[in-house]
Amino acid sequence: MSDAATGEGAGNTEYGRKAFKRSKSHFADRITADGRDGWPVEAGRYRLVVSRACPWASRALISRRLLGLEEALSLGVTDPIQDDRSWRFTLDADGRDPVLGIRFLHEAYDKRETDYPGGVSVPAIVDVPSGKLVTNDYQQITLDLATEWRQLHRPGAPDLYPEALRDEIDTVAEGIYRDVNNGVYRAGFATGQQEYEAAYADVFRRLDEVSERLRDQRYLVGDTITEADIRLFTTLVRFDAVYHGHFKCNRNKLTEDPVLWAYVRDLYQTPGFGDTVDFDHIKRHYYVVHTGVNPTSIVPVGPDLSGWLTPHHREQLGGRPFGDGTPPGPVPAGEEVPAGHRPVA
């Protein structure tokens, strides 16, 4: 998520005032087991930089937790309020990332490519020794964490991208990306009525299809959590808090769809999902940064979060969340979402 979502070089005031265009990742190097792009998988060498507000970055956060890569791949979390100079490390002491020593994520981009003109997006993986950005390819990062980083997975890590199901996962995820993940942005940043209504129709048509698919099966593909579920979850968990009102996707709230509401609560209550979600960061980013959509920058108080912890009963459909594996361990010290930013039992 970055300026790249609305056109390269756009400032915060341009959100909702320029035609929406999701830019391709400019830096698409891959970190692989064989190091074929010059970046071999290596414990402790790289740092994952995220904003907890960003759904694309949240994919990487969830994958890292589920696979147990916390010690192998360190984590930098930016302030949810970016300015026109890019994502800021103002949550850290002295406003600097303690590992990379930088104040703004664009500094890692600039070390990779001088005077880089594009948007500065998260998730981003940075090479710690050189301080250079390696990749901001949000579509590929999680797939590589699931496959190329296998030698560093925790014992009992789930297979999030099982080879036998990859074609189906890719097909399901592509429709979700186009119409849901990206669709809410096309609706929210639309500059004309017809453009908005077309995106709105795509969002709810696909959500209806997904709801029907999930009526009698616990997960999107197969009987375990896969990459497809991670990609859907990151939009659903933000839906009532920001997309319903801020992006005008208001045919109904997620809480009004019994299947999807139960499904997303099931995932939220699964270790590795809800423990990465910061509702305060999510709301403050969307309502404060997108001044072209919300010029007053007023952040709504609601919605009530207590429902996220209520029983979902999806276990009655069967399924094995982690397959033959096990849940991830406790959230590492220093990575916990503050109590005021999440529902508390």
Side-chain angles (χ1 to χ4, degrees):
M1 179 187 291
S2 73
D3 297 343
T6 50
E8 293 182 351
N12 295 346
T13 59
E14 297 304 309
Y15 287 106
R17 295 178 180 173
K18 296 180 68 173
F20 177 81
K21 180 181 179 182
R22 175 74 59 195
S23 298
K24 292 184 178 180
S25 299
H26 183 74
F27 300 100
D29 286 7
R30 295 175 60 188
I31 300 170
T32 57
D34 64 7
R36 57 186 176 272
D37 283 359
W39 307 105
V41 170
E42 183 180 327
R45 176 171 175 177
Y46 306 101
R47 187 159 177 82
L48 174 66
V49 178
V50 303
S51 163
R52 291 191 187 273
C54 171
W56 323 102
S58 290
R59 295 178 183 179
L61 271 172
I62 293 167
S63 296
R64 175 177 173 269
R65 277 278 292 135
L66 293 177
L67 299 171
L69 290 170
E70 293 100 324
E71 291 188 11
L73 178 62
S74 67
L75 180 67
V77 179
T78 67
D79 192 306
I81 310 302
Q82 68 196 98
D83 65 19
D84 288 345
R85 293 170 294 180
S86 87
W87 297 100
R88 310 174 297 167
F89 292 101
T90 50
L91 302 181
D92 296 304
D94 193 35
R96 291 184 183 275
D97 180 273
V99 172
L100 301 174
I102 57 177
R103 293 184 181 275
F104 298 94
L105 182 55
H106 77 71
E107 295 174 56
Y109 278 67
D110 290 344
K111 282 192 175 181
R112 172 68 185 273
E113 182 177 307
T114 305
D115 298 325
Y116 164 65
V120 176
S121 65
V122 288
I125 297 183
V126 179
D127 177 51
V128 174
S130 68
K132 294 180 179 179
L133 176 77
V134 177
T135 177
N136 66 346
D137 190 346
Y138 60 93
Q139 295 283 42
Q140 189 63 42
I141 284 173
T142 51
L143 299 180
D144 284 343
L145 291 180
T147 56
E148 299 291 335
W149 289 66
R150 198 179 298 273
Q151 68 197 61
L152 297 177
H153 288 182
R154 66 178 174 86
D159 187 351
L160 299 176
Y161 197 45
E163 195 162 358
L165 298 176
R166 287 181 188 177
D167 287 346
E168 185 177 1
I169 291 170
D170 291 347
T171 298
V172 170
E174 173 55 31
I176 288 170
Y177 168 74
R178 183 179 61 249
D179 297 331
V180 179
N181 302 145
N182 220 33
V184 293
Y185 280 84
R186 289 191 290 114
F189 292 148
T191 57
Q193 189 68 31
Q194 288 185 329
E195 178 189 355
Y196 158 71
E197 291 186 12
Y200 174 102
D202 287 342
V203 168
F204 286 102
R205 173 181 52 79
R206 183 67 63 177
L207 286 179
D208 287 344
E209 290 179 7
V210 170
S211 181
E212 186 61 32
R213 182 184 184 95
L214 290 167
R215 186 174 301 279
D216 299 313
Q217 64 187 64
R218 191 170 179 185
Y219 303 112
L220 282 169
V221 181
D223 68 348
T224 65
I225 292 167
T226 69
E227 176 78 12
D229 297 294
I230 295 171
R231 294 188 180 207
L232 179 59
F233 173 82
T234 59
T235 295
L236 295 187
V237 78
R238 289 161 172 76
F239 200 88
D240 288 4
V242 290
Y243 301 143
H244 178 271
H246 184 57
F247 279 177
K248 306 180 184 69
C249 294
N250 61 353
R251 189 194 73 178
N252 58 270
K253 296 177 182 176
L254 194 68
T255 54
E256 295 165 351
D257 183 309
V259 173
L260 291 181
W261 178 224
Y263 165 79
V264 75
R265 290 192 340 266
D266 184 5
L267 291 178
Y268 184 88
Q269 294 170 30
T270 299
F273 282 84
D275 53 30
T276 69
V277 176
D278 189 317
F279 284 102
D280 175 78
H281 281 203
I282 289 168
K283 290 198 302 181
R284 285 198 292 126
H285 171 78
Y286 281 89
Y287 287 102
V288 173
V289 170
H290 299 163
T291 54
V293 177
N294 185 40
T296 63
S297 295
I298 293 172
V299 180
V301 175
D304 178 12
L305 299 180
S306 60
W308 285 98
L309 301 180
T310 58
H312 52 77
H313 306 298
R314 292 282 292 181
E315 68 278 357
Q316 297 173 8
L317 296 174
R320 303 172 301 144
F322 303 100
D324 295 327
T326 57
V331 177
E335 294 188 12
E336 305 94 339
V337 174
H341 298 188
R342 55 183 169 84
V344 179

